[in-house]
């Protein structure tokens, strides 16, 4: 089992920045994929960004150039730096960890961007 704990959400004005962090603990394999998803009210959960153990990244088109995902493998941490935030970025953001064909989720952290 892997446990994920997110932090860093909050309320910010449009154009502002936030940094999300996620700590993984438990039976973390050396090879895994970590990422961030988000779910806005009335919408499906969607991938925001993902990063492999080797550092390969992918982003949703809507956040390219504004968000940056990074990780610290030694600490089992993943981060999401969010810049130039827009009201449409408002959602609950979930940390995700994939290993051994299993998905693990954090509890979610609210990000609210005011216009």
């Amino acid at each position: 089992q892997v446990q994920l704990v997110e932090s860093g959400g909050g309320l910010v004005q449009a154009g502002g920045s936030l940094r999300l962090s996620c700590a993984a603990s438990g039976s973390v394999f050396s090879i895994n994929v970590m990422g961030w998803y988000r779910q806005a009210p009335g919408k499906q959960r969607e991938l925001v960004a993902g990063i492999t153990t080797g550092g390969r990244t992918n982003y949703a088109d809507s956040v390219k150039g504004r968000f940056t995902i990074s990780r610290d493998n030694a600490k089992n941490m993943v981060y999401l730096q969010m810049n130039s935030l827009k009201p449409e970025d408002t959602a609950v953001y979930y940390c995700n960890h994939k290993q051994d064909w299993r998905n693990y989720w954090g509890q979610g952290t609210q990000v609210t961007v005011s216009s």
Side-chain angles (χ1 to χ4, degrees):
Q1 287 288 341
V2 174
Q3 294 78 44
L4 302 172
V5 178
E6 301 117 332
S7 60
L11 173 64
V12 65
Q13 288 189 334
S17 298
L18 282 174
R19 188 188 193 219
L20 305 183
S21 300
C22 174
S25 62
S27 301
V28 179
F29 290 3
S30 59
I31 304 297
N32 58 70
V33 178
M34 296 190 76
W36 292 93
Y37 287 69
R38 67 186 181 188
Q39 187 166 18
K43 294 189 177 181
Q44 289 189 331
R45 191 174 297 190
E46 63 176 1
L47 173 69
V48 176
I51 184 167
T52 67
T53 310
R56 185 160 56 184
T57 60
N58 66 297
Y59 295 92
D61 288 342
S62 60
V63 307
K64 283 180 181 176
R66 300 188 298 122
F67 291 10
T68 302
I69 190 170
S70 61
R71 64 185 294 165
D72 183 331
N73 291 333
K75 297 181 179 178
N76 291 326
M77 297 283 296
V78 65
Y79 309 95
L80 186 69
Q81 178 65 43
M82 304 185 293
N83 299 329
S84 301
L85 281 160
K86 304 175 181 180
E88 50 263 43
D89 294 317
T90 295
V92 177
Y93 284 70
Y94 295 91
C95 180
N96 174 263
H97 179 97
K98 294 181 176 64
Q99 67 180 39
D100 194 28
W101 305 103
R102 295 183 180 181
N103 260 313
Y104 298 92
W105 296 94
Q107 80 283 359
T109 185
Q110 178 70 46
V111 171
T112 302
V113 184
S114 63
S115 56

